[in-house]
Amino acid sequence: MKDRYRVVVAGMGKRGMHHAATFQANPRFELAGICDIDEARLDAAAAKLGVAAKSKDARQLALAARPDVFCFCTLPHIRAEMVRIGIESGAQLIAMEKPVALTSAEGFEIRDLLQASGVKAVVSHQHRYGQHYQKVKETVASGVLGRVHTVYGTSTGWMMHMLSHLIDYTRWFNGEAEAEWVMAQASGRGKLADAHPSPDYIAGFIHFSNGVHGILECGAGAPDVPEVDAWWRKCCIGAQGTDGFAEVLTGGGWRVVSKQVSCSGGGSMNYDLDMPPYIQDIANWLDDEQRVHPCHFGSAYRGFEIMMAFCRSAAQGGQVALPLISGTNEIEMLRASLPQGKVLLSMPANAKEYAA
Ligand SMILES: NC(=O)c1ccc[n+]([C@@H]2O[C@H](COP(=O)([O-])OP(=O)(O)OC[C@H]3O[C@@H](n4cnc5c(N)ncnc54)[C@H](O)[C@@H]3O)[C@@H](O)[C@H]2O)c1
């Protein structure tokens, strides 16, 4: 156990700055270097954070700095390369952003790299730390909903941005039971060209080993959450049991209605509140093998396979069994199979992102 763990952060956009600033604010970490390929962004970040060690080359920086933690917050197209750099740098832990990868082929590669090296990894599904999310988790675990038979999640944001979150929190509410199969449908080709390539709309079912079913919808056709103004936070994630339901709205609190209680409360996704405990749990896991990070890679990876299985089912039809046996490129499968027709919207506000 070290007093302070040295951290290198690559990718100084929105999430890289959140990570770097939160590592820096925590006395258990020391920011040993930052990286971005965009020089102006890198210089601005270095000045703001007061960090001298900066580079446009992540490998060079990481090999020179030899950090304990290699963190990368780049867009999703360069995951395996960054994981390889983290491992080569000798880091004990790699902290990465969601989604795990863009294809199951790359996801398999990352999983195998981490397994072979023994390097720990965490994936940023930090909404788990929101007090409104935790309220729903506690409610489901308390038994007050009776026998839980369904977990569900909707988001108007598109798949590579949001489905990873929906799957992670519904799996969490369901005690991280293993998924056995999925079946899904998709529509709309507009976002296949995005940096977070996705069908415009995807919806599907998950069958979990404990008998619970997951029902998820992500994108242009997902329902409005009118209680929430911020478009990206129009997400509703919950659990339904024989005696009631509990659900969280990403930008609008939580509510529980059951035979025993009916109550609600506030809360909105807030990086300033969610990042410090997420980062502290990295130190806790580095200190003590037993204190496994709640957002550890193994859990995120299971969720990632569910997302890739949704894509396969949407592309090929039928059910897809989990775990996946071999890797492929699901985005190419969708490119080859999604119909040309425009996606149909659930509300006019979606037209700004999905051309109707
Ligand atoms: N967990 C969350 O709540 C959450 C929220 C938003 C975004 N994200 C995820 O975070 C990731 C980053 O999103 P963002 O909004 O910060 O993106 P961004 O575009 O603001 O930042 C990405 C940065 O990475 C840099 N970059 C690209 N290639 C690089 C390389 N080879 N080496 C070093 N830097 C490189 C870019 O120049 C850019 O500055 C995405 O995967 C996104 O899905 C997660």
Side-chain angles (χ1 to χ4, degrees):
M1 174 171 155
K2 292 188 175 177
D3 287 344
R4 279 157 90 85
Y5 295 107
R6 289 162 50 75
V7 188
V8 160
V9 182
M12 300 312 298
K14 174 177 125 172
R15 292 295 293 150
M17 286 303 287
H18 291 163
H19 277 80
T22 315
F23 276 121
Q24 203 178 39
N26 186 315
R28 297 300 314 284
F29 295 99
E30 175 194 340
L31 203 49
I34 60 171
C35 165
D36 201 293
I37 50 171
D38 178 328
E39 193 156 10
R41 197 170 257 198
L42 179 63
D43 290 346
K48 190 164 180 191
L49 296 161
V51 177
K54 57 176 182 169
S55 171
K56 286 164 70 179
D57 185 321
R59 177 170 274 108
Q60 231 171 49
L61 177 71
L63 292 182
R66 311 296 293 175
D68 299 297
V69 176
F70 179 73
C71 171
F72 66 94
C73 303
T74 54
L75 290 176
H77 62 297
I78 43 171
R79 296 290 197 247
E81 182 192 337
M82 285 289 166
V83 168
R84 208 171 275 114
I85 291 172
I87 293 168
E88 285 170 19
S89 76
Q92 300 172 54
L93 185 144
I94 296 172
M96 60 190 280
E97 264 298 350
K98 42 59 57 178
V100 163
L102 293 179
T103 68
S104 61
E106 191 176 21
F108 274 43
E109 190 184 344
I110 292 170
R111 179 199 62 185
D112 294 347
L113 282 167
L114 290 170
Q115 255 169 17
S117 65
V119 173
K120 298 180 169 82
V122 297
V123 180
S124 189
H125 292 119
Q126 82 289 347
H127 294 200
R128 285 190 186 213
Y129 293 88
Q131 48 125 352
H132 50 328
Y133 282 73
Q134 299 218 339
K135 180 69 188 174
V136 172
K137 168 65 182 167
E138 283 160 21
T139 302
V140 177
S142 75
V144 78
L145 303 181
R147 180 182 65 80
V148 172
H149 48 72
T150 306
V151 289
Y152 55 89
T154 72
S155 162
T156 44
W158 55 101
M159 183 187 83
M160 281 294 179
H161 275 294
M162 299 308 295
L163 189 54
S164 181
H165 284 298
L166 298 183
I167 293 171
D168 192 72
Y169 311 132
T170 47
R171 285 185 67 255
W172 181 44
F173 293 163
N174 190 30
E176 310 220 350
E178 296 296 337
E180 293 185 340
W181 53 260
V182 312
M183 189 171 74
Q185 265 284 3
S187 173
R189 306 177 60 89
K191 292 296 181 197
L192 287 175
D194 191 74
H196 285 76
S198 310
D200 293 342
Y201 178 42
I202 189 161
F205 303 98
I206 309 165
H207 173 77
F208 292 101
S209 59
N210 60 355
V212 172
H213 272 216
I215 306 176
L216 300 176
E217 282 185 69
C218 205
D224 189 13
V225 180
E227 300 89 333
V228 178
D229 291 332
W231 189 82
W232 280 105
R233 296 181 182 197
K234 286 179 177 290
C235 310
C236 175
I237 310 163
Q240 170 93 44
T242 49
D243 293 347
F245 72 90
E247 62 188 19
V248 59
L249 311 182
T250 299
W254 57 274
R255 53 197 170 213
V256 175
V257 180
S258 79
K259 274 186 190 167
Q260 290 173 41
V261 291
S262 176
C263 50
S264 60
S268 184
M269 198 277 280
N270 183 332
Y271 294 114
D272 293 339
L273 297 178
D274 298 346
M275 288 304 290
Y278 171 78
I279 295 294
Q280 178 58 43
D281 275 340
I282 292 178
N284 296 345
W285 194 17
L286 288 170
D287 289 348
D288 180 354
E289 288 289 328
Q290 304 304 315
R291 298 179 73 180
V292 176
H293 198 291
C295 301
H296 66 98
F297 179 85
S299 174
Y301 180 79
R302 285 185 176 80
F304 166 74
E305 282 209 349
I306 291 173
M307 180 162 80
M308 292 296 105
F310 264 43
C311 294
R312 290 187 191 193
S313 175
Q316 293 181 327
Q319 292 161 281
V320 174
L322 290 161
L324 300 178
I325 298 163
S326 58
T328 188
N329 184 331
E330 285 78 6
I331 298 303
E332 284 309 321
M333 288 173 72
L334 287 167
R335 271 199 190 104
S337 64
L338 274 181
Q340 293 296 329
K342 299 278 187 198
V343 72
L344 304 178
L345 308 180
S346 62
M347 59 172 169
N350 292 355
K352 76 178 171 70
E353 287 293 352
Y354 310 101

